[in-house]
């Protein structure tokens, strides 16, 4: 992940939730750089949805991340959900 990326987090989250969201976004970055295991990505996404349950909050978070990185979390997750492949590579 680029060093200058500011991961969208909330001050209301505890340390574990922040770490889990950062790990999810790290897996998005890996999907673009070298690929990520589908099941690992989906597990991280499920945890992300526990921390960020609202659709509007998710969209805003994805938009902030994509604006900085040109990487679409939405498209990575969509590909993971629809793909039969074990590795997700963007």
């Amino acid at each position: 992940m680029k060093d200058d990326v500011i991961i969208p987090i909330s001050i209301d989250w505890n340390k574990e939730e922040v770490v889990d969201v950062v790990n999810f976004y790290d897996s998005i970055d890996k999907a673009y750089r070298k690929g990520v295991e589908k099941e690992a990505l989906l597990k991280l996404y499920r945890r992300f949805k526990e921390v960020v349950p609202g659709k509007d909050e998710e969209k805003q978070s994805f938009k902030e991340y994509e604006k900085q990185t040109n990487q679409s979390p939405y498209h990575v997750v969509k590909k993971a959900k629809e793909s039969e492949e074990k590795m997700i590579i963007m």
Side-chain angles (χ1 to χ4, degrees):
M1 190 177 301
K2 295 192 305 189
D3 292 336
D4 56 346
V5 174
I6 299 169
I7 301 295
I9 59 172
S10 170
I11 59 171
D12 297 328
W13 298 342
N14 65 37
K15 186 193 291 188
E16 181 183 334
E17 291 169 329
V18 170
V19 168
D20 291 340
V21 169
V22 169
N23 286 339
F24 167 71
Y25 281 112
D26 185 53
S27 72
I28 299 299
D29 183 59
K30 285 179 183 171
Y32 277 89
R33 286 188 297 111
K34 61 182 179 185
V36 65
E37 287 186 29
K38 173 184 169 175
E39 289 307 316
L41 172 70
L42 291 176
K43 181 178 179 185
L44 289 167
Y45 176 67
R46 285 190 294 274
R47 176 60 182 143
F48 173 84
K49 288 305 293 173
E50 291 173 7
V51 178
V52 184
K55 199 67 170 163
D56 288 340
E57 190 180 359
E58 176 185 351
K59 285 181 182 179
Q60 184 62 36
S61 180
F62 282 8
K63 185 189 288 187
E64 288 178 37
Y65 180 82
E66 186 172 359
K67 191 180 346 176
Q68 295 180 68
T69 63
N70 293 319
Q71 298 174 347
S72 171
Y74 171 80
H75 286 104
V76 173
V77 171
K78 182 177 183 208
K79 184 174 182 177
K81 287 179 176 180
E82 295 173 351
S83 178
E84 298 294 323
E85 299 295 320
K86 290 185 181 213
M87 289 293 289
I88 302 302
I89 303 171
M90 299 303 284

XYZ file of all heavy atoms in Angstrom:
755
model
N 0.844 -1.171 0.000
C 0.000 0.000 0.000
C 0.893 1.238 0.000
O 1.911 1.262 0.670
C -0.900 -0.025 1.244
C -1.975 1.012 1.217
S -3.092 0.938 2.648
C -3.753 -0.696 2.518
N 0.485 2.254 -0.720
C 1.264 3.482 -0.746
C 1.353 4.056 0.664
O 0.409 3.974 1.439
C 0.627 4.517 -1.680
C 0.610 4.103 -3.129
C 0.250 5.231 -4.060
C -1.050 5.895 -3.739
N -1.513 6.842 -4.724
N 2.499 4.653 0.981
C 2.715 5.182 2.325
C 1.826 6.369 2.654
O 1.545 6.627 3.814
C 4.182 5.587 2.497
C 5.104 4.386 2.493
O 4.640 3.282 2.816
O 6.288 4.565 2.164
N 1.384 7.097 1.645
C 0.622 8.312 1.898
C -0.891 8.102 1.881
O -1.650 9.052 1.869
C 1.007 9.396 0.898
C 0.824 8.957 -0.551
O 0.655 7.755 -0.797
O 0.850 9.827 -1.437
N -1.350 6.862 1.934
C -2.779 6.573 1.951
C -3.307 6.721 3.376
O -2.743 6.171 4.321
C -3.070 5.142 1.435
C -4.537 4.793 1.600
C -2.655 5.016 -0.012
N -4.382 7.468 3.512
C -5.042 7.617 4.796
C -6.281 6.730 4.770
O -7.229 6.996 4.041
C -5.415 9.089 5.066
C -4.155 9.948 5.096
C -6.191 9.204 6.373
C -4.420 11.433 5.093
N -6.227 5.655 5.535
C -7.333 4.701 5.574
C -8.521 5.368 6.270
O -8.364 5.934 7.352
C -6.928 3.417 6.346
C -5.729 2.736 5.691
C -8.103 2.458 6.462
C -5.976 2.201 4.323
N -9.706 5.296 5.652
C -10.885 5.891 6.283
C -11.304 5.108 7.528
O -11.725 3.958 7.420
C -11.971 5.822 5.203
C -11.393 5.101 4.044
C -9.982 4.748 4.336
N -11.113 5.713 8.695
C -11.491 5.076 9.957
C -12.330 6.059 10.777
O -12.361 7.253 10.500
C -10.259 4.616 10.764
C -9.342 5.784 11.073
C -9.503 3.525 10.046
C -8.220 5.450 12.022
N -12.981 5.539 11.791
C -13.817 6.347 12.673
C -13.183 6.424 14.057
O -12.619 5.439 14.543
C -15.206 5.723 12.779
O -15.958 6.359 13.796
N -13.312 7.565 14.693
C -12.793 7.711 16.056
C -13.613 6.896 17.051
O -13.182 6.683 18.177
C -12.730 9.195 16.488
C -14.119 9.820 16.430
C -11.745 9.967 15.650
C -14.190 11.204 17.051
N -14.783 6.438 16.616
C -15.650 5.635 17.483
C -15.241 4.172 17.553
O -15.744 3.426 18.395
C -17.099 5.722 17.003
C -17.642 7.139 17.085
O -17.220 7.893 17.985
O -18.483 7.496 16.235
N -14.341 3.740 16.673
C -13.933 2.345 16.641
C -12.868 2.078 17.695
O -12.017 2.932 17.974
C -13.373 1.970 15.271
C -14.339 2.104 14.142
C -15.692 2.188 14.209
C -14.010 2.174 12.763
N -16.230 2.307 12.955
C -15.215 2.301 12.047
C -12.824 2.143 12.044
C -15.266 2.398 10.663
C -12.859 2.234 10.666
C -14.071 2.350 9.982
N -12.849 0.844 18.211
C -11.769 0.457 19.116
C -10.550 0.010 18.298
O -10.610 -0.066 17.068
C -12.243 -0.625 20.108
C -12.611 -1.938 19.434
O -11.968 -2.363 18.469
N -13.649 -2.590 19.940
N -9.463 -0.284 18.987
C -8.214 -0.632 18.309
C -8.374 -1.853 17.399
O -7.886 -1.870 16.272
C -7.110 -0.908 19.333
C -5.751 -1.134 18.691
C -4.696 -1.711 19.625
C -4.248 -0.798 20.683
N -3.091 -1.341 21.459
N -9.079 -2.880 17.878
C -9.277 -4.098 17.089
C -10.042 -3.796 15.798
O -9.712 -4.308 14.731
C -10.028 -5.142 17.917
C -10.253 -6.442 17.183
C -11.058 -7.437 18.012
O -11.026 -7.369 19.256
O -11.723 -8.274 17.394
N -11.064 -2.966 15.898
C -11.846 -2.610 14.708
C -11.009 -1.836 13.695
O -11.096 -2.082 12.489
C -13.088 -1.810 15.117
C -14.097 -2.642 15.873
C -15.206 -1.837 16.515
O -14.971 -0.673 16.910
O -16.322 -2.376 16.628
N -10.182 -0.922 14.181
C -9.296 -0.161 13.292
C -8.342 -1.112 12.575
O -8.163 -1.037 11.357
C -8.512 0.925 14.069
C -7.422 1.536 13.197
C -9.453 2.005 14.585
N -7.751 -2.035 13.320
C -6.814 -3.003 12.732
C -7.529 -3.855 11.679
O -6.992 -4.093 10.589
C -6.176 -3.887 13.829
C -5.434 -5.068 13.225
C -5.242 -3.062 14.702
N -8.743 -4.288 11.970
C -9.489 -5.120 11.030
C -9.814 -4.363 9.738
O -9.713 -4.927 8.648
C -10.768 -5.647 11.676
C -10.493 -6.660 12.778
O -9.381 -7.239 12.804
O -11.392 -6.877 13.615
N -10.183 -3.097 9.852
C -10.483 -2.288 8.660
C -9.202 -2.051 7.856
O -9.209 -2.160 6.629
C -11.177 -0.967 9.046
C -11.240 -0.010 7.864
C -12.586 -1.249 9.578
N -8.107 -1.765 8.528
C -6.826 -1.574 7.833
C -6.426 -2.862 7.119
O -5.973 -2.827 5.970
C -5.723 -1.100 8.817
C -4.344 -1.168 8.169
C -6.025 0.310 9.312
N -6.624 -4.007 7.756
C -6.301 -5.289 7.118
C -7.164 -5.521 5.879
O -6.679 -6.048 4.874
C -6.468 -6.442 8.108
C -5.361 -6.495 9.131
O -4.275 -5.959 8.924
N -5.630 -7.118 10.259
N -8.435 -5.135 5.940
C -9.302 -5.266 4.769
C -8.755 -4.422 3.620
O -8.612 -4.911 2.494
C -10.741 -4.843 5.109
C -11.589 -4.665 3.888
C -11.998 -5.763 3.141
C -11.964 -3.406 3.465
C -12.769 -5.603 1.985
C -12.745 -3.225 2.329
C -13.140 -4.323 1.588
N -8.439 -3.162 3.891
C -7.927 -2.295 2.820
C -6.563 -2.767 2.313
O -6.250 -2.633 1.131
C -7.889 -0.833 3.256
C -9.257 -0.191 3.173
C -9.935 0.194 4.315
C -9.873 0.008 1.946
C -11.190 0.766 4.231
C -11.128 0.578 1.855
C -11.783 0.958 3.008
O -13.035 1.523 2.912
N -5.763 -3.362 3.188
C -4.490 -3.936 2.758
C -4.732 -5.080 1.775
O -4.008 -5.233 0.791
C -3.697 -4.426 3.971
C -2.317 -4.918 3.593
O -1.577 -4.166 2.917
O -1.974 -6.056 3.969
N -5.781 -5.865 2.013
C -6.088 -6.963 1.090
C -6.573 -6.431 -0.261
O -6.321 -7.044 -1.294
C -7.114 -7.921 1.698
O -8.397 -7.344 1.750
N -7.243 -5.290 -0.265
C -7.642 -4.659 -1.527
C -6.396 -4.276 -2.306
O -6.279 -4.545 -3.511
C -8.530 -3.415 -1.271
C -9.822 -3.788 -0.539
C -8.810 -2.676 -2.582
C -10.722 -4.762 -1.263
N -5.443 -3.672 -1.614
C -4.182 -3.292 -2.251
C -3.463 -4.519 -2.809
O -2.960 -4.503 -3.930
C -3.299 -2.557 -1.242
C -2.000 -2.075 -1.851
O -2.058 -1.287 -2.825
O -0.934 -2.491 -1.369
N -3.442 -5.597 -2.046
C -2.786 -6.830 -2.503
C -3.467 -7.391 -3.750
O -2.794 -7.917 -4.640
C -2.785 -7.881 -1.399
C -1.790 -7.605 -0.304
C -1.846 -8.654 0.776
C -0.876 -8.303 1.898
N -1.045 -9.166 3.058
N -4.793 -7.276 -3.805
C -5.523 -7.763 -4.987
C -5.044 -7.040 -6.248
O -4.971 -7.635 -7.322
C -7.024 -7.567 -4.806
N -4.686 -5.791 -6.121
C -4.202 -5.022 -7.271
C -2.721 -5.265 -7.548
O -2.287 -5.215 -8.688
C -4.438 -3.518 -7.052
C -5.839 -3.096 -7.420
C -6.858 -3.145 -6.488
C -6.148 -2.671 -8.708
C -8.149 -2.767 -6.817
C -7.431 -2.294 -9.052
C -8.427 -2.342 -8.108
O -9.708 -1.974 -8.440
N -1.937 -5.500 -6.503
C -0.495 -5.646 -6.703
C -0.090 -7.047 -7.132
O 0.684 -7.222 -8.060
C 0.266 -5.254 -5.438
C 0.308 -3.753 -5.208
C 1.220 -3.339 -4.069
N 0.761 -3.866 -2.782
C 1.390 -4.810 -2.088
N 2.500 -5.325 -2.529
N 0.915 -5.228 -0.932
N -0.573 -8.069 -6.400
C -0.096 -9.426 -6.692
C -1.176 -10.488 -6.593
O -0.942 -11.637 -6.919
C 1.056 -9.785 -5.752
C 0.680 -9.774 -4.290
C 1.861 -10.078 -3.400
C 1.436 -10.028 -1.947
N 2.539 -10.204 -1.042
N -2.333 -10.111 -6.106
C -3.415 -11.071 -5.932
C -3.600 -11.422 -4.467
O -2.673 -11.314 -3.666
N -4.808 -11.827 -4.143
C -5.146 -12.171 -2.764
C -6.077 -13.380 -2.806
O -6.849 -13.547 -3.747
C -5.798 -10.964 -2.043
C -7.135 -10.588 -2.651
C -5.948 -11.202 -0.561
N -5.969 -14.233 -1.792
C -6.837 -15.397 -1.737
C -8.286 -14.953 -1.534
O -8.576 -14.125 -0.668
C -6.431 -16.316 -0.589
C -5.152 -17.071 -0.846
C -4.864 -18.068 0.262
O -5.812 -18.580 0.898
O -3.680 -18.325 0.489
N -9.150 -15.523 -2.339
C -10.566 -15.154 -2.329
C -11.177 -15.302 -0.938
O -11.834 -14.382 -0.440
C -11.324 -16.024 -3.339
C -12.816 -15.871 -3.312
C -13.468 -16.838 -4.274
C -14.956 -16.897 -4.067
N -15.609 -17.745 -5.058
N -10.990 -16.450 -0.312
C -11.632 -16.698 0.992
C -11.094 -15.758 2.065
O -11.852 -15.312 2.929
C -11.473 -18.157 1.404
C -12.315 -19.105 0.567
C -13.792 -18.723 0.497
O -14.392 -18.374 1.542
O -14.368 -18.763 -0.600
N -9.805 -15.466 2.022
C -9.222 -14.534 2.996
C -9.827 -13.141 2.814
O -10.174 -12.470 3.795
C -7.707 -14.486 2.836
N -9.954 -12.718 1.560
C -10.538 -11.412 1.267
C -11.990 -11.351 1.746
O -12.400 -10.384 2.398
C -10.472 -11.112 -0.230
C -11.236 -9.866 -0.666
C -10.549 -8.613 -0.169
C -11.403 -9.827 -2.155
N -12.771 -12.380 1.447
C -14.182 -12.372 1.850
C -14.336 -12.410 3.369
O -15.246 -11.785 3.922
C -14.927 -13.530 1.190
C -15.109 -13.389 -0.324
C -15.762 -14.629 -0.912
C -15.905 -12.137 -0.673
N -13.435 -13.095 4.052
C -13.460 -13.110 5.515
C -13.185 -11.705 6.062
O -13.870 -11.238 6.971
C -12.423 -14.099 6.050
C -12.397 -14.211 7.547
C -11.386 -15.237 8.004
C -11.364 -15.318 9.526
N -10.324 -16.221 9.999
N -12.199 -11.031 5.479
C -11.890 -9.662 5.898
C -13.047 -8.715 5.579
O -13.346 -7.807 6.357
C -10.602 -9.176 5.229
C -9.322 -9.830 5.738
C -8.157 -9.527 4.808
C -9.025 -9.384 7.158
N -13.712 -8.939 4.455
C -14.851 -8.098 4.095
C -16.012 -8.317 5.077
O -16.660 -7.354 5.494
C -15.315 -8.369 2.661
C -16.547 -7.578 2.286
C -16.499 -6.190 2.181
C -17.769 -8.201 2.059
C -17.636 -5.447 1.859
C -18.898 -7.479 1.736
C -18.826 -6.102 1.636
O -19.948 -5.367 1.322
N -16.264 -9.558 5.457
C -17.332 -9.824 6.424
C -17.046 -9.103 7.744
O -17.945 -8.523 8.358
C -17.510 -11.325 6.643
C -18.216 -12.017 5.489
C -18.605 -13.452 5.813
N -17.458 -14.331 6.002
C -16.833 -14.967 5.009
N -17.239 -14.831 3.762
N -15.807 -15.751 5.274
N -15.791 -9.124 8.155
C -15.417 -8.411 9.386
C -15.566 -6.903 9.184
O -16.044 -6.193 10.072
C -13.986 -8.777 9.796
C -13.497 -8.012 10.986
C -14.355 -8.233 12.236
N -13.831 -7.416 13.324
C -14.576 -6.806 14.221
N -15.886 -6.935 14.220
N -14.028 -6.056 15.161
N -15.165 -6.400 8.020
C -15.334 -4.981 7.696
C -16.808 -4.598 7.840
O -17.139 -3.547 8.406
C -14.835 -4.713 6.271
C -15.117 -3.330 5.768
C -14.265 -2.278 6.068
C -16.231 -3.072 4.982
C -14.515 -0.997 5.597
C -16.494 -1.798 4.507
C -15.629 -0.756 4.815
N -17.713 -5.462 7.358
C -19.154 -5.174 7.426
C -19.680 -5.206 8.863
O -20.675 -4.567 9.163
C -19.953 -6.143 6.545
C -19.799 -5.906 5.063
C -20.146 -4.478 4.664
C -21.626 -4.198 4.870
N -21.978 -2.779 4.657
N -19.021 -5.935 9.746
C -19.399 -5.893 11.169
C -19.040 -4.538 11.765
O -19.767 -4.005 12.596
C -18.696 -7.002 11.947
C -19.175 -8.395 11.609
C -18.342 -9.477 12.287
O -17.470 -9.163 13.126
O -18.566 -10.661 11.970
N -17.915 -3.989 11.326
C -17.454 -2.695 11.826
C -18.205 -1.558 11.138
O -18.552 -0.557 11.759
C -15.922 -2.543 11.619
C -15.435 -1.176 12.079
C -15.170 -3.651 12.331
N -18.455 -1.712 9.844
C -19.115 -0.691 9.023
C -20.394 -1.312 8.436
O -20.425 -1.670 7.262
C -18.176 -0.215 7.884
C -18.806 0.916 7.094
C -16.824 0.192 8.420
N -21.443 -1.439 9.253
C -22.631 -2.146 8.773
C -23.490 -1.359 7.773
O -24.157 -1.942 6.933
C -23.420 -2.427 10.054
C -22.968 -1.385 11.010
C -21.546 -1.074 10.650
N -23.444 -0.037 7.836
C -24.295 0.772 6.969
C -23.782 0.844 5.545
O -22.588 1.001 5.302
N -24.699 0.740 4.586
C -24.327 0.792 3.163
C -23.763 2.168 2.794
O -22.790 2.254 2.044
C -25.557 0.451 2.304
C -25.219 0.031 0.911
C -24.497 -1.293 0.936
C -24.355 -1.870 -0.443
N -23.349 -2.911 -0.495
N -24.378 3.235 3.312
C -23.892 4.582 2.992
C -22.489 4.810 3.538
O -21.635 5.382 2.863
C -24.837 5.650 3.543
C -26.148 5.725 2.777
O -26.184 5.239 1.623
O -27.131 6.268 3.324
N -22.247 4.344 4.763
C -20.914 4.486 5.364
C -19.886 3.668 4.583
O -18.757 4.101 4.365
C -20.960 4.047 6.831
C -19.711 4.386 7.597
C -19.771 3.951 9.059
O -20.792 3.395 9.496
O -18.769 4.168 9.754
N -20.289 2.478 4.137
C -19.403 1.647 3.331
C -19.059 2.354 2.023
O -17.886 2.431 1.638
C -20.052 0.301 3.021
C -19.232 -0.574 2.097
C -19.944 -1.861 1.695
O -21.000 -2.188 2.247
O -19.413 -2.545 0.812
N -20.066 2.872 1.338
C -19.828 3.568 0.065
C -18.890 4.754 0.250
O -17.993 4.976 -0.564
C -21.150 4.048 -0.535
C -21.981 2.964 -1.155
C -23.260 3.553 -1.750
C -24.144 2.492 -2.338
N -25.377 3.057 -2.895
N -19.101 5.522 1.314
C -18.252 6.687 1.581
C -16.816 6.257 1.856
O -15.863 6.849 1.346
C -18.804 7.496 2.756
C -18.035 8.765 3.034
C -18.065 9.736 1.865
O -19.069 9.850 1.165
N -16.971 10.428 1.639
N -16.655 5.200 2.639
C -15.328 4.688 2.961
C -14.620 4.207 1.690
O -13.449 4.520 1.454
C -15.458 3.546 3.971
O -14.212 3.020 4.321
N -15.344 3.447 0.867
C -14.780 2.952 -0.393
C -14.388 4.112 -1.303
O -13.341 4.082 -1.941
C -15.776 2.043 -1.108
C -15.875 0.645 -0.548
C -15.248 0.275 0.633
C -16.621 -0.302 -1.216
C -15.352 -1.021 1.136
C -16.732 -1.616 -0.738
C -16.086 -1.959 0.448
N -15.232 5.127 -1.368
C -14.965 6.283 -2.234
C -13.701 7.028 -1.785
O -12.875 7.405 -2.602
C -16.158 7.238 -2.216
C -16.009 8.400 -3.185
C -17.077 9.456 -3.007
C -18.420 9.000 -3.498
N -19.425 10.091 -3.473
N -13.563 7.222 -0.465
C -12.377 7.898 0.064
C -11.110 7.113 -0.273
O -10.099 7.688 -0.677
C -12.486 8.064 1.581
C -13.480 9.097 2.018
C -13.583 9.184 3.538
O -12.547 9.043 4.216
O -14.703 9.388 4.027
N -11.175 5.810 -0.094
C -10.016 4.965 -0.385
C -9.691 4.991 -1.884
O -8.534 5.151 -2.268
C -10.275 3.528 0.086
C -9.131 2.595 -0.188
C -8.032 2.534 0.660
C -9.121 1.775 -1.319
C -6.963 1.679 0.399
C -8.070 0.918 -1.580
C -6.993 0.881 -0.720
O -5.945 0.044 -0.989
N -10.713 4.846 -2.714
C -10.493 4.804 -4.162
C -9.933 6.124 -4.685
O -9.083 6.134 -5.582
C -11.800 4.460 -4.884
C -11.617 4.261 -6.374
C -12.862 3.742 -7.063
O -13.885 3.498 -6.406
O -12.794 3.572 -8.297
N -10.380 7.225 -4.112
C -9.900 8.539 -4.546
C -8.379 8.650 -4.330
O -7.674 9.228 -5.149
C -10.606 9.640 -3.766
C -10.364 11.012 -4.329
C -11.046 12.173 -3.592
C -12.110 11.835 -2.618
N -12.635 13.028 -1.905
N -7.879 8.061 -3.272
C -6.452 8.134 -2.959
C -5.613 7.130 -3.741
O -4.446 7.384 -4.032
C -6.232 7.875 -1.469
C -6.823 8.906 -0.564
C -6.537 8.557 0.870
O -5.389 8.609 1.310
N -7.566 8.181 1.603
N -6.185 5.968 -4.039
C -5.386 4.859 -4.565
C -5.704 4.441 -6.001
O -4.947 3.682 -6.597
C -5.592 3.605 -3.686
O -6.965 3.215 -3.776
C -5.189 3.864 -2.253
N -6.839 4.892 -6.509
C -7.346 4.412 -7.805
C -7.609 2.907 -7.782
O -7.545 2.241 -8.811
C -6.407 4.775 -8.953
C -6.359 6.264 -9.190
O -7.385 6.936 -9.138
N -5.176 6.783 -9.426
N -7.884 2.371 -6.600
C -8.233 0.958 -6.425
C -9.663 0.894 -5.903
O -9.995 1.571 -4.933
C -7.296 0.285 -5.416
C -5.851 0.278 -5.843
C -4.937 -0.259 -4.752
O -5.328 -0.402 -3.598
N -3.705 -0.546 -5.120
N -10.500 0.094 -6.539
C -11.914 0.025 -6.176
C -12.212 -1.167 -5.263
O -12.270 -2.307 -5.737
C -12.767 -0.084 -7.437
O -14.108 -0.349 -7.098
N -12.416 -0.905 -3.963
C -12.809 -2.001 -3.076
C -14.102 -2.670 -3.543
O -14.232 -3.892 -3.462
C -13.010 -1.319 -1.721
C -12.177 -0.087 -1.797
C -12.239 0.347 -3.230
N -15.038 -1.879 -4.060
C -16.305 -2.425 -4.537
C -16.066 -3.487 -5.613
O -16.614 -4.584 -5.549
C -17.204 -1.314 -5.074
C -18.432 -1.839 -5.780
C -19.533 -2.274 -5.060
C -18.465 -1.942 -7.171
C -20.650 -2.789 -5.702
C -19.578 -2.459 -7.819
C -20.667 -2.877 -7.077
O -21.765 -3.388 -7.717
N -15.238 -3.161 -6.597
C -15.007 -4.092 -7.701
C -14.216 -5.329 -7.261
O -14.431 -6.416 -7.779
C -14.318 -3.382 -8.877
C -15.266 -2.487 -9.613
N -15.240 -1.121 -9.480
C -16.287 -2.773 -10.448
C -16.213 -0.601 -10.226
N -16.865 -1.579 -10.807
N -13.310 -5.156 -6.306
C -12.556 -6.303 -5.794
C -13.507 -7.263 -5.077
O -13.490 -8.475 -5.324
C -11.423 -5.859 -4.844
C -10.752 -7.071 -4.196
C -10.389 -5.025 -5.598
N -14.348 -6.728 -4.201
C -15.288 -7.568 -3.455
C -16.287 -8.216 -4.412
O -16.592 -9.407 -4.287
C -16.006 -6.754 -2.355
C -17.132 -7.555 -1.721
C -15.008 -6.310 -1.296
N -16.766 -7.459 -5.375
C -17.716 -8.006 -6.351
C -17.089 -9.169 -7.114
O -17.699 -10.220 -7.282
C -18.150 -6.908 -7.326
C -19.171 -7.378 -8.335
C -19.621 -6.246 -9.235
C -20.702 -6.772 -10.161
N -20.776 -6.107 -11.406
N -15.845 -8.979 -7.559
C -15.158 -10.042 -8.283
C -14.981 -11.272 -7.393
O -15.169 -12.405 -7.839
C -13.803 -9.549 -8.793
C -13.063 -10.567 -9.635
C -11.799 -9.989 -10.241
C -11.102 -11.001 -11.124
N -9.916 -10.431 -11.788
N -14.640 -11.050 -6.129
C -14.442 -12.168 -5.196
C -15.743 -12.945 -4.994
O -15.744 -14.178 -4.944
C -13.921 -11.660 -3.863
N -16.855 -12.236 -4.901
C -18.143 -12.893 -4.687
C -18.587 -13.685 -5.916
O -19.219 -14.729 -5.789
C -19.217 -11.861 -4.343
C -19.086 -11.291 -2.943
C -20.175 -10.276 -2.699
C -20.147 -9.745 -1.290
N -21.215 -8.745 -1.063
N -18.257 -13.195 -7.098
C -18.736 -13.810 -8.334
C -17.770 -14.823 -8.941
O -18.160 -15.648 -9.757
C -19.028 -12.717 -9.367
C -20.163 -11.799 -8.944
C -20.349 -10.620 -9.881
O -19.506 -10.395 -10.786
O -21.356 -9.907 -9.705
N -16.509 -14.762 -8.555
C -15.480 -15.582 -9.184
C -15.439 -17.000 -8.626
O -15.696 -17.236 -7.449
C -14.109 -14.927 -8.984
O -13.100 -15.728 -9.534
N -15.077 -17.923 -9.487
C -14.839 -19.301 -9.080
C -13.352 -19.509 -8.752
O -12.972 -20.550 -8.228
C -15.247 -20.259 -10.201
C -16.729 -20.198 -10.552
C -17.624 -20.680 -9.420
O -17.244 -21.642 -8.727
O -18.691 -20.072 -9.217
N -12.530 -18.534 -9.092
C -11.089 -18.632 -8.885
C -10.754 -18.540 -7.391
O -11.456 -17.900 -6.618
C -10.371 -17.485 -9.617
C -10.589 -17.487 -11.110
C -9.995 -18.695 -11.806
O -8.888 -19.109 -11.430
O -10.658 -19.227 -12.716
N -9.636 -19.149 -6.995
C -9.194 -19.093 -5.607
C -8.403 -17.819 -5.308
O -8.315 -17.406 -4.157
C -8.339 -20.309 -5.265
C -9.147 -21.580 -5.222
C -8.317 -22.750 -4.761
C -9.191 -23.988 -4.767
N -8.837 -24.919 -3.724
N -7.829 -17.225 -6.360
C -7.066 -15.984 -6.201
C -7.800 -14.866 -6.936
O -8.274 -15.061 -8.049
C -5.654 -16.118 -6.791
C -4.736 -17.011 -6.003
S -4.294 -16.356 -4.368
C -3.226 -15.013 -4.803
N -7.842 -13.699 -6.289
C -8.437 -12.519 -6.908
C -7.300 -11.588 -7.288
O -6.529 -11.142 -6.442
C -9.399 -11.809 -5.921
C -10.494 -12.765 -5.471
C -9.982 -10.546 -6.555
C -11.346 -13.354 -6.578
N -7.194 -11.343 -8.591
C -6.159 -10.459 -9.120
C -6.842 -9.411 -9.993
O -7.591 -9.758 -10.905
C -5.115 -11.234 -9.947
C -4.486 -12.336 -9.090
C -4.060 -10.285 -10.501
C -3.607 -13.298 -9.862
N -6.575 -8.168 -9.683
C -7.194 -7.084 -10.447
C -6.241 -6.558 -11.503
O -5.066 -6.644 -11.397
C -7.613 -5.941 -9.514
C -8.621 -6.352 -8.483
S -10.152 -7.049 -9.121
C -10.997 -5.583 -9.694
